[in-house]
Amino acid sequence: MNYKIWIDEIAELCQPSRVHLCDGSDEEYNSIAASMVSHQTLIPLKKRPGSFWCHSHPDDVARVEECTFICCKEKVDAGPTNNWCDPQEMHRRLKSLFAGCMRGRTMYVIPYCMGPIGSPFSKIGIEITDSPYVVLNMKIMTRMGLHVLKQIKSDFVPGVHSVGVPLKPGEKDVPWPCNPSDRVIAHFPHEPSIWSFGSGYGGNALLGKKCFALRIASVLARNESWLAEHMLILGITNPQGQKKYIAAAFPSACGKTNLAMLTPTLPGWKVECVGDDIAWMRFGSDGRLYAINPEAGYFGVAPGTSMKTNPNAMKTIAHDALFTNVALTPDRDVWWEGIGSEPPPGLISWLGSLWDPKSGKPASHPNARFTVSAKQNPIYDPEAENPLGVPISAIIFGGRRASVVPLVVEAFNWAHGVFFGASVSSEMTAAAKGEIGKLRHDPFAMLPFCGYNMGDYFNHWLEMGKKSHQLPRIYYVNWFRKDEEGKYLWPGFGENVRVLKWIFERTSNLAPAKLSPIGHLPTTLDLSGLDIDLKKLFHVSAQEWQQEAQELASYFKLFKDQMPPVLLDELKHLMQRLSEHEKV
Ligand code: OXD
Ligand code: MN
């Protein structure tokens, strides 16, 4: 497709007052930010140079899965876990929604590259949007600008986004335009293209992130034999200077950013960060699995982030950061629950009004975010921009589970590891609209992000395992197990390095493990300086696991004929091992 013709077509449809082709320069960023400041939609922060605060419409604060569609030709190809719509029907709906939707606004055209410029992994997109907030975020989150257009060899992924609020002549804009009653985020994987209407929230509006790098890319990855995953990538170096890379998938707001930027409590160990949310992985000619981070920045959850939980994130956001839906202090700094200090008097809540500490409501929205360039991270991995990616030695899956699931377990082999991925379930968080705390299945932490039938996706993972004899080992972790009183059994954060150490050593065949019905468990962990009851953390109750397996069996039925028999066999074997274990 010729991008110039496409841009003209979209302008014709959306009828903006102006078209602005983004060059990606700092001057452009500063000028858009200055204009938002003059309209009071951005507030400059006094204590963080180059940083701004803003707050959204109260109904536009998270991803909206119920309005997110996969529009492939056959419903079965979207699968039972996605909303499906016939592509023609969706195009008809979009045409009427987008007709004239940018009246009175500027239409920004954002050429962007997911992945390092020139990398064989990288893919190009062009996002059209009428939101200046989106332009600022895309500048931080992607490699964006005119130079990207030169990289377009054949195709790019077109994406059209509108807040869905046209302006009448002379009408004054509202501070955070959005159209909650008409929201739709539609993906057309076979075209491919993305259309997003009515929301300005990051996950719905920054089309390079979840829409392209996961939903569309997962389909491209299946067709082209690679993996597009909801995974952080970290580098870990032992005291002897040996370095390995680990990729890890956790559902949204389960600590991926904290793990990706971990400050080890074990002396001599070092962690460096390649990415905190998305990994694109393919086998290299040496048979190893190589990963890149397609993003260039972090769109991290602010609440809970502190010098104790994630000092590297705190240093990263000390300047040139955007804050959305956190609280604003009277001296123009940001504040959120769990930042590690008391709320100052005169705090402005994320809703933009004076916060009443007695209200019982948080000052910052639980899904409040910071957007910041990865380059500002003091532990940005030196190989993070390597166009060929980094070799992955281990893959971790995890969820937020108060009971049943031990701190760490290793899969017997690739198929068993794929079974781990398929069996991820987690308590829901504020990253998406829904009942917080409720347990839901979230296979591979990809439930909201897989652009095709998840049964076929499981099969794709199994197929990938046949492509190499140097496969990464696979693990399942749970930092969130609690005791009878509801207290966390594991301190988490920097202490998680003790688990990473065991994984690191397992991948060099240096750490012992014992057989359990659910996989290999550590015989011991390096707990120096910690007083922890490992028994409770590693307890595997045959009864609880039988229930877990039963539950999984009924979940897997959802995928009908698409459910790979190999995974059903894994489940059967688990059940057998559990009943044998019970007999001993
Ligand atoms: C995210 C999410 O924003 O997973 O990364 O919701
Ligand atoms: Mn995510």
Side-chain angles (χ1 to χ4, degrees), residues 225-405:
S225 282
W226 52 283
L227 295 165
E229 300 302 323
H230 192 204
M231 289 182 177
L232 65 90
I233 309 162
L234 63 82
I236 174 161
T237 308
N238 71 5
Q240 290 71 42
Q242 191 191 3
K243 185 164 186 179
K244 297 190 181 204
Y245 287 93
I246 296 176
F250 297 82
S252 307
C254 283
K256 278 213 305 295
T257 306
N258 291 343
L259 184 62
M261 300 181 192
L262 174 147
T263 304
T265 51
L266 289 177
W269 287 78
K270 184 161 91 179
V271 165
E272 287 162 299
C273 179
V274 177
D276 79 328
D277 197 39
I278 299 175
W280 285 357
M281 305 191 284
R282 57 178 82 209
F283 288 108
S285 50
D286 60 356
R288 300 193 71 188
L289 189 63
Y290 284 81
I292 62 152
N293 170 16
E295 301 191 280
Y298 312 118
F299 182 63
V301 178
T305 309
S306 69
M307 281 311 279
K308 207 170 137 233
T309 61
N310 193 340
N312 289 313
M314 292 303 279
K315 289 174 197 156
T316 309
I317 57 179
H319 62 98
D320 297 292
L322 283 177
F323 296 90
T324 308
N325 290 342
V326 303
L328 180 69
T329 68
D331 58 353
R332 294 258 198 99
D333 195 9
V334 284
W335 189 90
W336 49 76
E337 281 69 22
I339 198 172
S341 61
E342 289 304 309
L347 194 63
I348 303 292
S349 85
W350 72 276
L351 292 160
S353 51
L354 196 65
W355 180 61
D356 174 7
K358 291 198 215 85
S359 68
K361 296 195 178 124
S364 167
H365 187 275
N367 192 35
R369 299 281 176 144
F370 54 77
T371 321
V372 70
S373 165
K375 290 213 171 95
Q376 293 181 199
N377 186 348
I379 58 155
Y380 192 44
D381 193 278
E383 291 298 310
E385 305 274 337
N386 187 332
L388 300 177
V390 295
I392 298 296
S393 298
I395 291 174
I396 300 178
F397 295 107
R400 189 181 278 271
R401 294 294 304 266
S403 58
V404 184
V405 181

Side-chain angles (χ1 to χ4, degrees), residues 94-113:
L94 292 169
K95 223 177 198 150
S96 100
L97 282 175
F98 277 83
C101 70
M102 296 188 186
R103 282 210 178 94
R105 300 190 181 280
T106 300
M107 176 178 120
Y108 298 94
V109 180
I110 310 170
Y112 64 96
C113 180

Side-chain angles (χ1 to χ4, degrees), residues 567-580:
L567 295 189
L568 295 177
D569 285 348
E570 285 296 337
L571 184 62
K572 209 164 71 196
H573 297 150
L574 170 66
M575 286 172 166
Q576 276 161 1
R577 290 192 303 268
L578 287 167
S579 60
E580 278 155 26

